[in-house]
Each structure stands twice: as structure tokens, then as C-alpha cells.
Amino acid sequence: MGRGSSGLHAAPPVPRSAVRQRFDRLMREVAKFGAVGGAGVLVNFLVFNLVRHATDLQVVRSSVIATAVATLTNYIGYRYFTYRDRDKSRRTKELGLFLLFSVVGLVIENGVLYAATYGFGWDSPLQSNVFKFLGIGIATLFRFWSYRTWVFRTLPPAEEAVTGAESFLEPSRQTAAEKPRVRQRVG
């Protein structure tokens, strides 16, 4: 026995079911999305409170500026961290869809703040931050669904298979001597 060996051997890994594998992938995606989103929320609140207190802009305008800055930082995080393994062949379309769905998220997020501020008169700094947080939460659900469904799409299984087959076939330039011989049946 080697040094540090207990003599016990690990059992071979048990294959996971397809459902379990999909669930695990989804949980990793949610965790990565949450990490990037959490950083975006911090950027959003920092910019919001900085603009709100350093300028004479109204609450919702300050929030729109903060959301726009956070959206830019989130795109970078989503593209290069959360969804780095996704289809990269259509970047222009991806960016356009990202901006479209981000604008819808901006309207959701700031609509909640607008309703609280101008509909109910809740505009103290604490109230503004609470309703901004609530708006971000609601908009995040929409953004997660839209980004994973429309923006950062996975390759369809057929396209993955074709891509894999093409990469498999490319390096196989064998000479006649290297090719396996096929026996013909003599009838």
C-alpha cells in the first residue's frame, strides 16, 4: 500500500438520471445568474442613491439612470460568466434582444417605484429604496425567463449534433494505408 492509502477503494460513480442532470444544470445557471444579478443590484443601488442625493433629479429619473448602468454591467457578466457556453454566433441579435428585454425590465422595476412615489406619496429615502428593491425583484423574474429563453439560447440538440459531427470529421484525413480495411463477403 502506498503512503497515505487507507486501502479502501472508491466505488464507481452512479450515473445520474437525465432529470437530475437537467435540474443540476438549472441550479448552476440560477446560482450564476444570481451572482451576476446580485452584483448588478449593488451597482443599481449605489448609482441610484448617489444620483438621488448628489443631484436634483427626481426619484424615478435617478432610478432609470441606475438601472441603465446596472444593465450594462449585467450584460457583461451574463455573456462572459453565466452564459459563456451559449451560442455566440449571433451577437448583434443577442444584444438587441438583451436591450429590448432590459427595457421591459426597466419599466417593470421603475413602474413599481413610480406607483409608490407618485400614486401613494411614499418618497422618503427608505421608502424609495424599499420599492426599488421590490421592483428589482419582480423585474428579475421576468429577466431570468426572457434572457434564458430568448437572449442567451442554447444550441438546439440537432445543431449541437451537427457541430460535433463536423468537428469529429475534420481531423480524420487518413491515408489509404491508415484506413481500416473492410472485408467483403464472397458469396
Side-chain angles (χ1 to χ4, degrees):
M1 278 205 235
R3 192 174 0 163
S5 174
S6 65
L8 297 176
H9 297 285
V14 177
R16 292 184 177 173
S17 71
V19 172
R20 178 65 185 189
Q21 288 175 355
R22 288 184 69 187
F23 180 76
D24 289 346
R25 275 195 308 268
L26 178 63
M27 288 301 101
R28 281 191 300 275
E29 180 182 345
V30 167
K32 288 179 176 182
F33 188 90
V36 171
V41 168
L42 288 176
V43 168
N44 200 329
F45 274 102
L46 288 171
V47 172
F48 171 65
N49 285 295
L50 180 67
V51 171
R52 181 152 190 244
H53 296 293
T55 69
D56 292 333
L57 287 176
Q58 296 173 342
V59 173
V60 176
R61 288 184 183 164
S62 298
S63 181
V64 168
I65 291 168
T67 303
V69 171
T71 298
L72 175 66
T73 60
N74 283 355
Y75 177 77
I76 294 166
Y78 293 139
R79 167 43 48 216
Y80 297 104
F81 176 66
T82 306
Y83 298 113
R84 70 177 174 249
D85 60 333
R86 301 287 175 94
D87 183 16
K88 296 176 181 81
S89 64
R90 46 184 203 96
R91 284 283 170 94
T92 303
K93 185 176 181 182
E94 173 187 285
L95 187 56
L97 287 171
F98 182 83
L99 291 174
L100 172 71
F101 290 121
S102 293
V103 167
V104 173
L106 180 141
V107 169
I108 293 168
E109 175 183 329
N110 292 294
V112 171
L113 182 61
Y114 182 89
T117 302
Y118 300 109
F120 297 102
W122 297 327
D123 62 352
S124 73
L126 176 63
Q127 290 168 328
S128 295
N129 280 290
V130 167
F131 286 103
K132 179 154 183 66
F133 185 78
L134 180 63
I136 288 171
I138 294 167
T140 296
L141 296 173
F142 168 77
R143 288 178 178 129
F144 178 73
W145 169 80
S146 63
Y147 294 165
R148 81 181 306 263
T149 304
W150 299 101
V151 180
F152 301 107
R153 295 177 20 190
T154 57
L155 288 173
E159 246 181 85
E160 269 184 34
V162 168
T163 305
E166 287 174 349
S167 66
F168 176 75
L169 293 175
E170 281 180 13
S172 66
R173 295 182 182 178
Q174 299 172 335
T175 64
E178 295 173 330
K179 290 186 180 178
R181 294 185 181 193
V182 179
R183 287 186 168 173
Q184 292 183 353
R185 278 185 132 170
V186 179

